[in-house]
Amino acid sequence: YGCTNLQTIYVGSNWSTAAVTSSANMFNNCTSLVGGRGTTIEGRSIDKTYAQIDGGSNNPGYFTALGTLAYACYTESNTTLTFYYDDQRNSRSGTTYNLNTGATDTRWDTDGTKADVTKVVFDPSFKGARPTTTYSWFYAMRQLQSIEGLGYLNTIYVTNMAYMFMYCDKLTNLDLSQFYTPKVTDMDYMFYGCTNLQTIYVTTRWRTSAVTSSERMFEYCESLEGGKGTTYNENHVDADYAHIDGVTNSPGYLTGKNEMYACYTRDNSTLTFYYDFYRSDHDDQGHKTYGGLEIRFIDKPGWSDMGAERVVFDPSFAEARPTSTKRWFEGMATLKSIDGMKYLNTSEVTDMAAMFEKCYELIIIDVSNFDTSNVTNMHSMFKDCYNVVSLDLSSFNTAKLSMAPEMFQMCRNLQTIYVGSGWTTTALTYSVDMFTDCTTKLKGGKGTTWNSSNPTDKTYARIDGGPSNPGYFTYKGSSSVTTGIENGQRDAVKVQSSKFKVQSEEWYTLDGQKLSGVPTKRGVYIQNGKKAVIK
């Protein structure tokens, strides 16, 4: 618990958790821990579940087997050099190499293998390695056409990158987006002679503040162009131009690479979702950032227990395309509002399971812009949302939806569920307890009310057709938002409009119509889930 700098835990064959009955928070905040084959803690359980030797994606764990080391393996049949960090070196077919531990040439350089390499691959296991130098790793690989998995190369302790890509003249682009280089002092000849290299992607985790030597770093990189159009200049070939083009209003040869991440700011208890290349700037300000949004969370994400009271989607997130929002807000019991949901593009999302489960304090969940045409799983999506009184699902297209058990379970104040013509249960095969423990407050558009004796699966998950075809849903042809908050449900907050500070862009009239901004007329409105009186 709390071993935030712990990177590696070595164990032998005698390690076992078979008898362990209590292991709550065993790995809580062990944010630097990486298993022997690259498994990280982010988005995973922090009890004993992963307290085992890492077996990779098929059997992940947080531990590293004794004998684990970093090495490279050249396979002649496919002319590929692969980097590993595991205990399997003796079983690898091909030629294996120790990695240089100081500023010395690599053996694949001296034995001539470099001349035949056409592809370099970093295996996911290499995520656990912590090299201190990458000196001349790809020097003069003149047949090298691609490098895959560079995201698994952790450079936080690297001090020397000299000659790293020198004479890689068939490479056209490099994705160095982590590279995290705060300790690098030597970048001499790093990209020298990469005559066809056009683009180098980085984020603000790329740093040159410690660099003291960068002689001829970009010399002969005649095709290179920065993200804002800066082209190669033979008078600027050292680290002076080794930054993102135009970010500091100065020319550079590098291009910013966006990433999806969330940032928790303790000062205002806000979790903000971004899609840009400034994540490290937030880290520098002491905020807590979370990556991995491109994966499907197996357990609750790390931000769940931070006590956020507000979630904001920054406008930059509109360009992101997540494929899963599973468990994103699950268990955020203090969350009171979600702003900017219109910037969450769900067109490629396939899994929304437990997305809002146990969001006890939320009154308004505005998902009216959601594109659910590819979603197959809505398991427990709104389960235990006690205070939500209305859901506008009129934009939902559920043609592919196959799993929706417990979707609305224990939504005890839920009164209205709006759906449109895109709602269908044709493909829905698993819907047990979909409406279990709702109450008679839930009412369909033709008056059908929830009843404990009615089926709780998908049977009533349809537009209400009255006594002859009962359902719990209400048809809505448009996607305008309805809050469903009844008069008197929340205490009114008196507000002077001229002095009011906007805390959220989400304003509604009492009859549920969403406004574009702060109301200009006197009256009673809904803001952040509470009544607000504009005088």
Side-chain angles (χ1 to χ4, degrees):
Y1 186 109
C3 295
T4 55
N5 290 308
L6 183 61
Q7 300 168 21
T8 309
I9 300 175
Y10 294 100
V11 297
S13 57
N14 288 330
W15 175 272
S16 173
T17 60
V20 174
T21 58
S22 181
S23 62
N25 293 312
M26 184 175 181
F27 296 101
N28 193 37
N29 284 331
C30 294
T31 52
S32 302
L33 187 60
V34 181
R37 295 198 178 180
T39 295
T40 58
I41 200 167
E42 194 163 43
R44 299 182 187 274
S45 175
I46 56 174
D47 61 6
K48 73 170 186 176
T49 305
Y50 296 99
Q52 60 187 21
I53 294 173
D54 190 11
S57 58
N58 292 328
N59 191 30
Y62 298 146
F63 294 165
T64 299
L66 289 174
T68 295
L69 51 85
Y71 62 96
C73 179
Y74 175 69
T75 308
E76 185 176 7
S77 61
N78 60 8
T79 60
T80 298
L81 183 70
T82 305
F83 288 73
Y84 296 98
Y85 181 68
D86 58 29
D87 57 354
Q88 306 296 308
R89 179 173 179 176
N90 292 336
S91 63
R92 300 285 180 195
S93 59
T95 305
T96 59
Y97 304 93
N98 293 324
L99 297 184
N100 47 355
T101 56
T104 57
D105 291 334
T106 53
R107 194 156 62 85
W108 59 79
D109 177 23
T110 56
D111 72 1
T113 294
K114 68 179 182 183
D116 299 319
V117 175
T118 61
K119 183 168 74 170
V120 166
V121 175
F122 284 87
D123 184 77
S125 64
F126 207 77
K127 187 184 297 185
R130 295 295 184 269
T132 58
T133 178
T134 56
Y135 176 89
S136 76
W137 273 15
F138 313 111
Y139 169 72
M141 288 189 177
R142 311 199 80 147
Q143 302 303 314
L144 180 61
Q145 299 174 32
S146 65
I147 303 178
E148 299 176 3
L150 266 173
Y152 298 125
L153 171 57
N154 189 315
T155 60
I156 188 171
Y157 296 116
V158 174
T159 60
N160 192 342
M161 290 185 173
Y163 299 85
M164 186 174 181
F165 301 100
M166 183 176 178
Y167 288 133
C168 291
D169 46 16
K170 285 197 174 182
L171 286 179
T172 58
N173 66 79
L174 278 170
D175 187 349
L176 310 184
S177 56
Q178 309 255 61
F179 272 36
Y180 183 38
T181 58
K183 299 182 184 295
V184 178
T185 60
D186 192 345
M187 290 185 174
D188 285 344
Y189 294 83
M190 186 172 177
F191 306 102
Y192 181 99
C194 293
T195 55
N196 288 304
L197 186 59
Q198 301 170 19
T199 310
I200 301 174
Y201 295 102
V202 297
T203 69
T204 51
R205 294 173 70 82
W206 171 272
R207 308 288 178 86
T208 59
S209 55
V211 173
T212 57
S213 184
S214 59
E215 183 180 356
R216 306 173 81 176
M217 183 177 178
F218 295 103
E219 191 160 354
Y220 300 117
C221 293
E222 299 165 352
S223 303
L224 189 59
E225 184 173 317
K228 297 291 186 180
T230 296
T231 55
Y232 173 77
N233 186 321
E234 62 182 8
N235 296 317
H236 298 284
V237 295
D238 60 10
D240 287 344
Y241 273 40
H243 57 255
I244 296 173
D245 192 14
V247 165
T248 57
N249 295 318
S250 61
Y253 291 144
L254 310 183
T255 300
K257 178 70 177 293
N258 292 341
E259 66 171 321
M260 291 186 288
Y261 64 97
C263 175
Y264 178 66
T265 308
R266 288 181 175 83
D267 292 345
N268 57 13
S269 301
T270 298
L271 182 74
T272 306
F273 288 75
Y274 295 97
Y275 183 63
D276 57 32
F277 46 82
Y278 298 113
R279 179 180 176 184
S280 61
D281 289 353
H282 295 288
D283 291 330
D284 290 345
Q285 295 172 35
H287 302 157
K288 179 67 175 176
T289 63
Y290 305 86
L293 272 67
E294 69 280 356
I295 66 172
R296 180 177 304 182
F297 289 115
I298 299 174
D299 295 289
K300 292 190 299 183
W303 62 71
S304 295
D305 298 321
M306 297 302 289
E309 296 181 4
R310 184 181 180 215
V311 163
V312 174
F313 284 90
D314 184 78
S316 64
F317 209 79
E319 301 301 316
R321 295 296 182 270
T323 58
S324 173
T325 57
K326 180 178 181 178
R327 312 191 82 165
W328 271 19
F329 310 114
E330 180 190 359
M332 294 181 68
T334 57
L335 181 60
K336 293 179 172 62
S337 67
I338 303 178
D339 304 332
M341 197 87 86
K342 63 184 179 182
Y343 300 123
L344 172 57
N345 188 312
T346 62
S347 60
E348 297 181 19
V349 173
T350 61
D351 194 343
M352 291 184 175
M355 186 176 179
F356 302 99
E357 183 177 352
K358 296 180 181 177
C359 288
Y360 302 128
E361 293 295 316
L362 278 180
I363 296 173
I364 299 171
I365 301 179
D366 183 355
V367 292
S368 58
N369 67 304
F370 275 25
D371 179 347
T372 58
S373 56
N374 286 307
V375 177
T376 60
N377 188 2
M378 291 184 181
H379 189 319
S380 303
M381 187 174 177
F382 303 103
K383 181 181 179 181
D384 289 349
C385 289
Y386 293 155
N387 286 314
V388 173
V389 294
S390 176
L391 286 170
D392 185 350
L393 313 185
S394 58
S395 66
F396 279 29
N397 181 337
T398 57
K400 297 182 180 179
L401 182 63
S402 60
M403 296 181 62
E406 303 176 0
M407 186 175 178
F408 307 103
Q409 185 174 354
M410 297 187 74
C411 291
R412 293 171 177 167
N413 283 303
L414 188 58
Q415 300 171 21
T416 311
I417 302 174
Y418 294 97
V419 296
S421 57
W423 179 274
T424 177
T425 59
T426 303
L428 189 56
T429 58
Y430 186 41
S431 61
V432 63
D433 291 326
M434 194 172 181
F435 296 97
T436 298
D437 290 328
C438 292
T439 70
T440 54
K441 290 183 179 180
L442 181 58
K443 183 181 295 187
K446 292 291 182 68
T448 297
T449 56
W450 182 90
N451 190 307
S452 60
S453 63
N454 290 340
T456 57
D457 62 2
K458 72 175 184 178
T459 306
Y460 280 64
R462 60 191 177 196
I463 296 169
D464 189 14
S468 63
N469 191 30
Y472 293 144
F473 295 164
T474 301
Y475 177 75
K476 190 171 188 180
S478 66
S479 59
S480 58
V481 180
T482 301
T483 66
I485 295 180
E486 295 178 344
N487 293 337
Q489 188 166 338
R490 289 288 180 267
D491 293 335
V493 179
K494 293 184 178 180
V495 180
Q496 295 290 344
S497 60
S498 61
K499 299 180 180 178
F500 188 74
K501 294 181 179 180
V502 180
Q503 299 177 4
S504 164
E505 61 184 36
E506 309 293 344
W507 282 85
Y508 300 85
T509 62
L510 282 180
D511 61 358
Q513 298 305 307
K514 185 178 181 181
L515 303 179
S516 60
V518 180
T520 57
K521 297 180 180 181
R522 295 180 180 180
V524 182
Y525 299 88
I526 302 298
Q527 193 263 347
N528 277 347
K530 295 183 177 179
K531 283 187 178 179
V533 179
I534 302 296
K535 301 179 68 177

